[in-house]
Amino acid sequence: MEKNQPASKLLRTDRKTGIVGYGAYIPRYRLPGSEVAMLWTGSPKGSPVKEKAVAGLDEDVITMSIEAARNALVRANIDASELRAVWVGSESHPYAVKPSGTLVAEAIGASNDIQAGDWEFACKAGTEAMVAAIALVGSGMGRYALAIGMDTAQGKPGDALEYTASSGGAAFVIGPREEAIVNIEATYSFVSDTPDFWRRPEQKYPEHGQRFTGDPAYFKHVESAGRVMLEELGMKASDFTYAVFHQPNPRFPLKAGKDLGFTEEQIKPGLLVPVIGNTYAGASMVGLTAILDIAKPGDRILQVSYGSGAGSDAFYLEVTEKIAERRELAPSTADYLARRTEINYATYARFRGKIDMG
Amino acid sequence: MENPRYWRLKKQRYSLLGEVCPHCDSKIFPPRDICPECGGEAKTDFAFSGKGKVYSYTVMRDAPAGYEQNAPYTVAIVALDEGPMVTAQLTDLGEEPVRIGMPVEMVTRKLREDGEKKGILVYGYKFRPICFHENSQPASQGQAG
Amino acid sequence: MTEVVIAGIGQIPVGEHYTLSLRSMGVQALTRALKDSGGLKPDALYIGNLLSSMISHQSNLGALFTDYGRLDSIEAFTTEAAGASGAAALRLGVLAILSGQADTVAVLGVEKWSDLVRADAEAMITQELDYDYESIPGLTSTSQAALIQQRYLHEHDLEQNALSGFALLAHANAVHNPFAFYRNPLTEEGYARAGMLSDPITIFDGATYADGAAALVLTRRELLPRGYAHPVISVMGSGASSDALSWHDRTEPMSFTAAVRAIDQAVQQAGLSKEQIDLFELDDAFSIYAALTLEGVGLADKGAAWKMARDGEYNIGGRLPILTMGGCLARGNPIGAKGVYQVVEAVTQLRGAAGANQVKGARAALSLALGGPASTAIAHVLKRESE
């Protein structure tokens, strides 16, 4: 087995891999930030986002993952029985104990001969699944692996996160380079023990360190991951067409991007947080789907996720000629954004289980 | 808690996996031991497309135990494109009113919770109005034939 | 040939009997029927019931009612056919006498409904549907009837309130029935103001489930006691049929095929034509059941039963009186006991004892009880003996 260059911090596979299919899912309900602001401040102003996506009464990480996965499989143009792994990253798995992955696998028609399981790493659980899928395919253990990042994030009523904690995500089929619509050139992860955001087992809502979630947490990890990736590649921000970052609010990814040398024009196409909120494990992944819906062959993309606790996964991606024929096979992320029903706070409270029915 | 009965039906519930009769080619949903058309033995898997049309519908206001949290909800008879009819909830209804003849597509959703927050979650088919253009995804993958 | 006669009838009012247990209700009806028969002693008891195992946590009703009814050690057990359970018990009683296995049979229809709160009870009645494929998606009996009515309105291009005639005539007839749950007349305005249960079904298009117990005593013609006090009413025909359990699996969803087959069988057995039937106690658990039954049997053209009901064709004094004591819509729907109530009411008519609701000169009556939307159908033809 050929070894990586000892000097490189990047993760690269011996066998080249790529994204062979992608699928987004965003639920149809939208809660305007003004509804949340009005309730807790008496004024409709002050929300960091226009609105956020809210899962319906019958939706959860499992059902949303199933739809995103079906979209990804259609674009991959493979049968689900060819998958060798189904991995779901989320911080809102419907069960505390019982995998989401097996149910999703069963529903999409995967075989029983697969790896299936759930990843947990706050908001980077989905990209952690992606790295694992890349490793599985890159090692030659299997031809295709499905990685999903999906959340139905809970914001404590009245907390700042209530404006943004939202529902949605994306699924990616990782496969061999020759079938890729996006080549995966390298990944890199940067992690440290940083207590910026957490939830103890018996708690319904997470706690967070307020301003501590900024510089020592989000910016430290996102920018370290991005910087190491660029340095190791010997590239600069202007070598990329697009960049997509974890997006807990509109301000953080723009600032991190700017610090790394990216312009707003490179970031905006994948910046969905103003209209869907923060989909946690799905955030940078669903942002990436929006970029892939418009990207051209040869476009280079830097993706950097962030998960509290804390860490970032960076991906260097390059779009191939195959994108045009395959992206039309499933609904676009823009289609999901356009499918929109506005709800008020009362309906939101009901949908998200905040009304105690005894 | 009734895990075995839910588990037994998971394939058909999650992805509308039915059967095609090897004798008369009838498409069968749900799977049966005996083909309702020709009386032959039926056992060949067939994945339904999940596309169909509303044959009738109603809005449930007075939900039975286990379903109160979802009321009001819409239940429909859906005539699947391949022939059989199924009873299922409609979900994600937008502004367009439900009507007989409305084209719908299958989605997998949470149907109910078994046993007071301690039991398993039951997932299965529901239908929604076809909300994307003609290239939207089929309901289920694989298992055909 | 053996002639089976209905020698005794008994019933308690349909309603919410909070002070009465399942066993008290049943014993009261049974006692009244045995007394009405002139003191016959049954050698078998067949009980029609759907929900006692769930609502009352009580099965083995045969032992319960022979014990509390002091029927000694006779053969006794339950028949279950959803809403046709009582009619099934009657059919079994008729067959037992015809076969020679029994001489005198008591038939009891009994249902205890009001021991549970509504949402729980609604989930239980729904067990008459296909649990895996109708109930699990969240359907109930009421909403299934709504699906059928919606389709009916669509196919015949009718307004939501088209079926009002059935509720209006049922409520008019129940005014004079002391055993009915609802005894106030219903007006068109009252009907129009009704709350929606499950679109397009309002509270007046779906019968109220209620407690009830009714009983019959059957015997051979020659075993009637000396000095028998009533005109002799015979069971001339009995028919039963079934259809797909799931309504969506029906080849012809809008034809109540099982009801048609059961009625044809019973009427032919009686040697009558449908034109000779003087009154029809049909199953109106939902108004749409009544419409589809009448159209299926050919007593109305397709899509026309609603109009005939509005035009008074089915009123007492009309072309074919139905629901003469209020039916399920106004007398109340005692579920597993329904089929026995229908026959008690038909016998009352044939005896000429229906008071203000008397169908003049009634000599032949038809009854039909359905389990689900005619998934199970059981029909009987009764006839008054010529003097």
Side-chain angles (χ1 to χ4, degrees):
Chain A
M1 187 170 149
E2 189 185 328
K3 289 201 167 61
N4 281 329
Q5 294 296 319
S8 177
K9 292 179 177 175
L10 300 187
L11 302 170
R12 292 182 194 262
T13 52
D14 292 339
R15 182 185 182 211
K16 301 282 191 192
T17 67
I19 295 169
V20 302
Y22 69 95
Y25 184 74
I26 301 163
R28 79 172 299 143
Y29 305 100
R30 302 285 186 281
L31 177 68
S34 57
E35 279 280 316
V36 182
M38 198 68 205
L39 188 71
W40 301 112
T41 71
S43 154
K45 298 198 172 86
S47 171
V49 295
K50 176 175 173 280
E51 58 194 18
K52 67 172 184 175
V54 180
L57 273 173
D58 57 1
E59 296 189 283
D60 60 20
V61 162
I62 287 175
T63 68
M64 301 196 308
S65 294
I66 291 168
E67 182 156 342
R70 285 174 177 155
N71 286 335
L73 284 166
V74 169
R75 283 206 179 94
N77 202 19
I78 63 166
D79 192 278
S81 62
E82 298 176 75
L83 294 169
R84 295 308 303 268
V86 174
W87 284 320
V88 183
S90 180
E91 64 135 63
S92 43
H93 290 289
Y95 288 95
V97 177
K98 184 182 181 299
S100 301
T102 50
L103 208 161
V104 173
E106 195 92 42
I108 62 176
S111 81
N112 299 116
D113 313 315
I114 59 165
Q115 301 303 118
D118 300 347
W119 295 83
E120 192 282 316
F121 193 147
C123 296
K124 92 169 182 77
T127 53
E128 195 70 47
M130 278 179 73
V131 174
I134 292 164
L136 184 134
V137 174
S139 72
M141 285 174 76
R143 190 168 179 86
Y144 304 105
L146 178 65
I148 300 169
M150 192 66 68
D151 256 307
T152 53
Q154 287 277 11
K156 189 191 288 184
D159 188 274
L161 293 183
E162 196 180 22
Y163 291 103
T164 52
S166 73
S167 303
F172 291 88
V173 177
I174 307 300
R177 173 67 56 100
E178 57 271 24
E179 296 173 31
I181 54 177
V182 179
N183 291 335
I184 300 167
E185 301 292 354
T187 80
Y188 168 70
S189 295
F190 179 89
V191 304
S192 75
D193 177 21
T194 306
D196 57 327
F197 173 100
W198 65 95
R199 180 169 66 79
R200 299 273 300 274
E202 305 303 322
Q203 298 301 305
K204 188 169 181 186
Y205 299 108
E207 300 294 324
H208 57 87
Q210 303 195 357
R211 292 183 61 82
F212 185 71
T213 60
D215 286 338
Y218 178 87
F219 292 107
K220 167 79 173 169
H221 294 82
V222 169
E223 293 182 15
S224 295
R227 189 165 293 117
V228 170
M229 178 68 95
L230 292 177
E231 283 170 7
E232 293 282 339
L233 292 171
M235 295 169 73
K236 51 192 187 305
S238 58
D239 294 325
F240 288 81
T241 325
Y242 302 105
V244 57
F245 300 100
H246 178 58
Q247 36 202 268
N249 55 54
R251 197 167 54 85
F252 276 28
L254 286 171
K255 178 171 186 308
K258 192 176 165 203
D259 291 347
L260 290 168
F262 289 93
T263 64
E264 280 197 25
E265 287 64 41
Q266 289 167 292
I267 298 170
K268 282 276 171 73
L271 191 67
L272 304 183
V273 60
V275 288
I276 65 168
N278 177 7
T279 57
Y280 284 47
S284 69
M285 291 170 74
V286 75
L288 177 60
T289 67
I291 290 170
L292 297 182
D293 282 344
I294 57 167
K296 291 189 281 296
D299 284 353
R300 291 175 182 150
I301 303 164
L302 177 71
Q303 177 191 4
V304 185
S305 66
Y306 174 72
S308 291
S312 285
D313 299 322
F315 300 83
Y316 166 29
L317 309 168
E318 196 168 311
V319 179
T320 77
E321 297 287 342
K322 295 193 174 65
I323 187 119
E325 61 188 76
R326 300 254 279 281
R327 70 175 152 216
E328 297 303 322
L329 297 176
S332 70
T333 305
D335 286 336
Y336 281 104
L337 292 174
R339 186 185 74 131
R340 177 183 171 281
T341 298
E342 195 172 308
I343 58 173
N344 59 21
Y345 192 93
T347 302
Y348 164 73
R350 182 177 178 198
F351 280 11
R352 299 309 302 142
K354 294 173 199 299
I355 296 177
D356 186 354
M357 291 180 72
Chain B
M1 297 188 197
E2 306 173 30
N3 298 17
R5 76 174 298 148
Y6 295 127
W7 170 81
R8 194 181 299 127
L9 302 180
K10 63 188 172 177
K11 287 280 187 203
Q12 42 177 282
R13 284 244 172 86
Y14 295 168
S15 57
L16 276 184
L17 184 69
E19 290 171 333
V20 57
C21 176
H23 311 288
C24 73
D25 204 42
S26 289
K27 309 301 187 293
I28 306 166
F29 191 88
R32 289 173 175 240
D33 299 299
I34 301 168
C35 172
E37 291 299 320
C38 74
E41 188 185 3
K43 59 184 175 187
T44 312
D45 285 351
F46 176 81
F48 281 80
S49 69
K51 298 287 199 296
K53 290 190 172 63
V54 172
Y55 176 82
S56 192
Y57 67 96
T58 184
V59 179
M60 292 283 305
R61 291 154 204 271
D62 215 5
Y67 295 83
E68 301 101 323
Q69 300 212 2
N70 292 324
Y73 55 89
T74 301
V75 183
I77 304 289
V78 174
L80 298 173
D81 284 355
E82 294 87 349
M85 298 210 288
V86 294
T87 299
Q89 282 185 37
L90 300 184
T91 188
D92 279 359
L93 295 166
E95 284 72 30
E96 189 187 349
V98 180
R99 61 185 164 80
I100 288 174
M102 177 185 247
V104 292
E105 61 188 356
M106 178 269 195
V107 289
T108 309
R109 294 293 172 93
K110 193 164 67 180
L111 297 181
R112 59 170 297 166
E113 298 181 8
D114 191 30
E116 301 286 314
K117 293 191 176 174
K118 286 185 187 170
I120 61 163
L121 307 171
V122 183
Y123 296 88
Y125 51 83
K126 292 190 180 184
F127 288 78
R128 71 178 173 200
I130 290 180
C131 54
F132 303 116
H133 32 88
E134 64 284 354
N135 62 13
S136 63
Q137 86 284 9
S140 56
Q141 292 293 313
Q143 268 121 28
Chain C
M1 185 180 158
T2 303
E3 191 182 342
V4 179
V5 299
I6 300 177
I9 58 174
Q11 60 182 325
I12 67 167
V14 173
E16 290 162 346
H17 293 296
Y18 295 116
T19 60
L20 293 181
S21 64
L22 171 76
R23 68 189 73 188
S24 291
M25 288 170 24
V27 168
Q28 286 185 15
L30 210 44
T31 306
R32 289 176 196 187
L34 289 167
K35 186 174 174 214
D36 184 66
S37 76
L40 286 171
K41 297 234 176 292
D43 35 32
L45 168 66
Y46 302 124
I47 302 151
N49 173 272
L50 177 61
L51 298 170
S52 75
S53 63
M54 291 175 279
I55 291 186
S56 307
H57 311 291
Q58 186 64 64
S59 294
N60 210 356
L61 299 188
L64 175 72
F65 287 111
T66 49
D67 178 8
Y68 277 71
R70 294 212 61 195
L71 295 173
D72 301 331
S73 50
I74 64 170
E75 164 189 348
F77 51 83
T78 303
T79 59
E80 186 275 300
S85 297
L90 169 58
R91 179 167 163 82
L92 185 59
V94 171
L95 296 177
I97 293 175
L98 288 177
S99 72
Q101 288 289 312
D103 289 325
T104 300
V105 174
V107 173
L108 170 65
V110 61
E111 203 71 77
K112 186 71 196 166
W113 171 261
S114 64
D115 276 358
L116 269 192
V117 295
R118 168 112 199 185
D120 293 339
E122 189 80 21
M124 287 181 180
I125 187 79
T126 293
Q127 300 204 15
E128 69 184 355
L129 309 188
D130 186 329
Y131 184 78
D132 282 336
Y133 301 105
E134 295 182 323
S135 308
I136 285 289
L139 197 68
T140 61
S141 300
T142 302
S143 55
Q144 181 182 61
L147 290 170
I148 302 172
Q149 183 165 327
Q150 185 88 281
R151 185 71 198 181
Y152 181 88
L153 299 179
H154 171 79
E155 289 189 358
H156 302 296
D157 197 20
L158 301 173
E159 299 288 318
Q160 176 270 329
N161 65 352
L163 295 169
S164 65
F166 293 102
L168 292 175
L169 84 85
H171 281 265
N173 291 350
V175 169
H176 303 290
N177 177 4
F179 298 97
F181 196 4
Y182 299 114
R183 302 192 58 197
N184 296 319
L186 177 65
T187 61
E188 279 283 5
E189 296 70 42
Y191 179 90
R193 278 197 308 270
M196 197 63 79
L197 271 183
S198 188
D199 304 28
I201 285 192
T202 70
I203 56 168
F204 291 118
D205 295 318
T208 306
Y209 300 117
D211 301 338
L216 305 168
V217 178
L218 314 179
T219 193
R220 297 172 196 279
R221 175 74 181 81
E222 61 271 24
L223 297 180
L224 279 176
R226 220 178 278 275
Y228 179 65
H230 309 290
V232 178
I233 312 298
S234 305
V235 181
M236 301 294 290
S238 174
S241 181
S242 55
D243 205 339
L245 177 59
S246 289
W247 182 63
H248 60 238
D249 282 338
R250 305 273 170 89
T251 319
E252 294 178 77
M254 301 308 288
S255 298
F256 269 18
T257 313
V260 176
R261 285 190 294 247
I263 288 171
D264 284 349
Q265 188 185 345
V267 170
Q268 276 172 28
Q269 208 172 78
L272 296 176
S273 70
K274 282 172 203 150
E275 290 66 39
Q276 291 172 281
I277 300 295
D278 298 310
L279 64 112
F280 185 10
E281 294 301 336
L282 50 71
D283 195 323
D284 60 334
F286 301 95
S287 303
I288 186 65
Y289 285 14
L292 291 183
T293 298
L294 290 163
E295 293 176 15
V297 186
L299 293 168
D301 291 337
K302 294 278 180 202
W306 66 276
K307 182 151 194 317
M308 291 180 67
R310 279 197 175 177
D311 292 347
E313 306 263 19
Y314 303 126
N315 292 352
I316 290 164
R319 194 195 312 185
L320 175 63
I322 64 172
L323 313 174
T324 64
M325 290 300 188
C328 290
L329 289 170
R331 173 239 292 133
N333 183 356
I335 314 168
K338 174 209 307 169
V340 181
Y341 271 93
Q342 292 175 323
V343 171
V344 165
E345 290 160 355
V347 168
T348 305
Q349 284 285 0
L350 297 178
R351 284 179 178 179
N357 286 3
Q358 184 61 47
V359 175
K360 297 221 164 40
R363 305 206 62 84
L366 174 64
S367 70
L368 171 75
L370 302 177
S375 334
T376 301
I378 301 178
H380 286 95
V381 172
L382 313 179
K383 197 160 178 294
R384 174 176 173 151
E385 192 172 274
S386 309
E387 277 92 52

